[in-house]
Amino acid sequence: MKQTIKMSLSALAIASALSLAGCASTVKPAAINVVETGSFSLPQYQTVSLSNGLKVNLMVQKEVPLITINAVVRGGAVNDTTSGLASMTAQGLMLGAAGQSKADIEQTLDFMGASLNTGADQEGSYIDASFMSKDLDKVLPIFSNVLLSPDFDTAEFAKLQQREIVGLSQQKESPRAVIGRYFNKLVFANHPYANPSSGNSESIAELSIEQLRAFHQGYYQPSNVAISVVGDFDPQQMQAKLEQTLGQWKNTAVAVQADLAQALPTLTKSRVLLVDKSDAIETTFVFGGMGISYDSPDYVGLTVVNTILGGRFTSWLNDELRVNAGLTYGARSGFVPYSKAGVFQISTFTKAETTKEAIDLALKTYARLWQKGIDQATLDSAKAYVKGQFPPKFETASQLAGLMSEMYLYGFDDDFINQFQAKVDGLTIAETERLVKQYFPQQNLQYVLIGNAEKIADIAAQYGDVTKVDIKDSGFGQ
């Protein structure tokens, strides 16, 4: 899925259901919401396996007559053999399926007021359908066909290629839209986490229909996919319908997964990637370093500490750079976690003339973590904010379905959600000091500056060894 702070999840959960004969079933106990203490826990859900081993999560939510069905595939940009392959395969699913054209699929869904979207990010590919409960029997076959039997129409693919190539050029007109891709490339270098899910203009132009079909055949397998269903339905009937539409899907290949824990970078010196945008009147910059993976035991505590530094409007960074100094309209920080690694970054933008002033003030504000630390009043405020912001992330069927997808993809369980607020409550000043020392990169920072190189090159050289690229070049830096 992207990057400022990715400290939130998305997905689903499942309510009670009776399993059909011949299908494995695991029922998880109901979670208890303790309203008086402000705690939040994952709604009850059921996990079943279809006859072909496909994992399915079922969560009943009767409040409104809507259903969301989400499929997540363990295959994303880290699996690309040509940059952008996973993303283009996911988008290609919508170019026609099982003999039904792209236009026919779109018109059928539009007539019902339903939506069906596909996409890919660093480690996963996704198909998401939302519709009225009464239209289940019409939408489910379309969802199944798109997932299992895409046509990858040649003429439609050529149009998609051109749209993506033009879109990539347009994105580079907005440095804030692409700077995260440059930063990932600078930090991860040749590691798969450096792969931009979007690809680049040259790689997209090189892709062929045959590559999309091969990626689909290799990664879109029952053993490599999880389905989550959230909404107003009968779980036993839903399981039967899914068995009917998806149960005959067979594994035809073994999904080849890279060992992402291997060959992770070691940052031994400060470096600057200077991206020249000659017509820029402002400088957009990011600095930071290595971060955490999703399974870090300190994920929750770091969410709170980062909230203080740059995770909300009243954060230190926003106060100093926007409110007090007037150098920017906003400054943020965040951890972007993946399954085996991640990055930490501080980001903002300013006039070209105030580039050095803004970078230095951001560094000075960042240094407060070590020099002054966090006082109890500030910690209490951040804890209350984080706890208050947590439940609204998982209110809708789409949000719950997305959460279950990330649980599957990144391997965390219900406890991540159910214990989140309790862990926030338990965070102490002493713990914040440990977290700051252990996780926030202080040495060998990595910088990306996008702006008019003629005006800011001398400034960039003050922060590390400089590599200069042109934003018009294909790709996101070397």
Side-chain angles (χ1 to χ4, degrees):
M1 321 255 278
K2 32 179 110 224
Q3 294 181 350
T4 50
I5 300 181
K6 193 189 173 188
M7 293 300 271
S8 63
L9 311 164
S10 11
L12 108 37
I14 306 182
S16 55
L18 299 174
S19 61
L20 296 175
C23 294
S25 176
T26 302
V27 180
K28 302 194 176 184
I32 300 174
N33 293 311
V34 187
V35 178
E36 61 271 22
T37 62
S39 66
F40 172 81
S41 54
L42 196 62
Q44 185 184 35
Y45 68 96
Q46 181 184 24
T47 299
V48 301
S49 293
L50 302 185
S51 58
N52 58 359
L54 178 64
K55 178 180 178 181
V56 176
N57 297 317
L58 303 169
M59 174 187 278
V60 175
Q61 300 277 282
K62 293 286 189 179
E63 290 82 2
V64 292
L66 299 173
I67 297 175
T68 292
I69 302 180
N70 180 291
V72 57
V73 182
R74 292 186 188 275
V78 295
N79 305 103
D80 284 349
T81 51
T82 298
S83 187
L85 175 57
S87 177
M88 290 293 282
T89 301
Q91 294 183 70
L93 301 178
M94 293 295 294
L95 302 181
Q100 190 175 20
S101 71
K102 176 178 180 290
D104 288 341
I105 292 173
E106 292 174 346
Q107 290 171 6
T108 300
L109 294 170
D110 285 347
F111 183 77
M112 293 182 285
S115 65
L116 200 161
N117 299 294
T118 62
D121 57 22
Q122 291 302 115
E123 298 188 65
S125 298
Y126 310 88
I127 306 174
D128 185 89
S130 295
F131 50 92
M132 296 288 290
S133 304
K134 65 180 180 64
D135 294 322
L136 172 62
D137 291 337
K138 298 177 182 177
V139 176
L140 185 56
I142 297 175
F143 179 90
S144 175
N145 289 337
V146 167
L147 175 62
L148 274 61
S149 307
D151 292 334
F152 294 121
D153 180 84
T154 302
E156 292 292 350
F157 175 66
K159 297 176 187 177
L160 174 62
Q161 270 184 310
Q162 290 306 307
R163 288 196 300 271
E164 290 300 300
I165 291 170
V166 172
L168 282 163
S169 297
Q170 292 175 337
Q171 287 173 30
K172 287 196 171 188
E173 289 301 312
S174 174
R176 276 169 271 172
V178 296
I179 195 167
R181 283 171 252 179
Y182 283 102
F183 187 71
N184 262 25
K185 181 62 179 176
L186 177 64
V187 171
F188 287 112
N190 297 318
H191 190 277
Y193 281 138
N195 298 346
S197 59
S198 64
N200 61 67
S201 57
E202 291 182 1
S203 66
I204 297 301
E206 293 173 1
L207 284 174
S208 66
I209 285 287
E210 289 71 29
Q211 287 177 285
L212 270 61
R213 291 194 175 114
F215 190 92
H216 181 267
Q217 182 178 2
Y219 291 97
Y220 288 67
Q221 305 286 332
S223 61
N224 200 47
V225 173
I227 304 289
S228 295
V229 188
V230 182
D232 181 16
F233 61 87
D234 177 271
Q236 189 174 11
Q237 292 179 5
M238 178 62 73
Q239 186 176 337
K241 292 179 184 294
L242 291 172
E243 179 66 40
Q244 183 179 4
T245 54
L246 299 174
Q248 303 305 309
W249 186 20
K250 302 299 182 184
N251 292 300
T252 57
V254 176
V256 179
Q257 301 289 355
D259 186 352
L260 298 173
Q262 296 296 315
L264 287 167
T266 300
L267 305 177
T268 58
K269 62 180 180 179
S270 290
R271 296 178 299 164
V272 181
L273 180 63
L274 176 58
V275 184
D276 183 23
K277 189 174 189 298
S278 58
D279 61 347
I281 60 174
E282 64 184 22
T283 301
T284 303
F285 66 85
V286 167
F287 66 83
M290 294 294 288
I292 60 169
S293 57
Y294 263 110
D295 62 359
S296 169
D298 292 313
Y299 186 108
V300 176
L302 289 168
T303 303
V304 178
V305 176
N306 181 71
T307 295
I308 295 167
L309 174 65
R312 61 177 175 177
F313 186 78
T314 57
S315 68
W316 289 353
L317 285 167
N318 207 55
D319 270 352
E320 292 296 338
L321 275 79
R322 174 186 167 130
V323 179
N324 297 337
L327 293 170
T328 183
Y329 285 111
R332 298 187 64 82
S333 66
F335 290 88
V336 183
Y338 303 126
S339 64
K340 300 300 180 183
V343 294
F344 169 78
Q345 56 193 40
I346 291 173
S347 60
T348 190
F349 57 96
T350 190
K351 293 185 296 184
E353 294 77 12
T354 56
T355 298
K356 178 172 172 53
E357 184 181 356
I359 295 175
D360 287 348
L361 184 54
L363 288 166
K364 180 180 178 181
T365 305
Y366 182 42
R368 284 175 59 183
L369 286 175
W370 294 274
Q371 295 173 356
K372 295 183 178 180
I374 298 168
D375 59 53
Q376 191 63 54
T378 301
L379 177 59
D380 290 344
S381 173
K383 288 163 70 170
Y385 177 86
V386 171
K387 287 181 65 178
Q389 292 293 306
F390 189 65
K393 296 175 183 177
F394 311 114
E395 289 182 335
T396 69
S398 180
Q399 289 171 327
L400 288 166
L403 172 60
M404 295 301 289
S405 290
E406 293 199 358
M407 290 171 70
Y408 171 77
L409 195 61
Y410 297 111
F412 58 90
D413 59 21
D414 298 12
D415 285 345
F416 182 92
I417 301 298
N418 297 343
Q419 296 180 12
F420 187 95
Q421 290 178 307
K423 288 184 176 181
V424 172
D425 285 334
L427 187 63
T428 65
I429 290 293
E431 271 292 284
T432 66
E433 293 172 353
R434 178 186 68 82
L435 295 174
V436 168
K437 292 178 182 178
Q438 184 172 345
Y439 292 103
F440 286 83
Q442 191 174 12
Q443 305 296 328
N444 304 320
L445 295 175
Q446 310 295 296
Y447 299 78
V448 175
L449 279 65
I450 303 181
N452 186 321
E454 186 176 346
K455 294 181 179 179
I456 63 174
D458 291 342
I459 296 170
Q462 298 176 34
Y463 300 98
D465 294 346
V466 177
T467 299
K468 179 183 171 183
V469 298
D470 194 297
I471 199 166
K472 295 178 183 177
D473 295 341
S474 180
F476 297 93
Q478 304 299 326

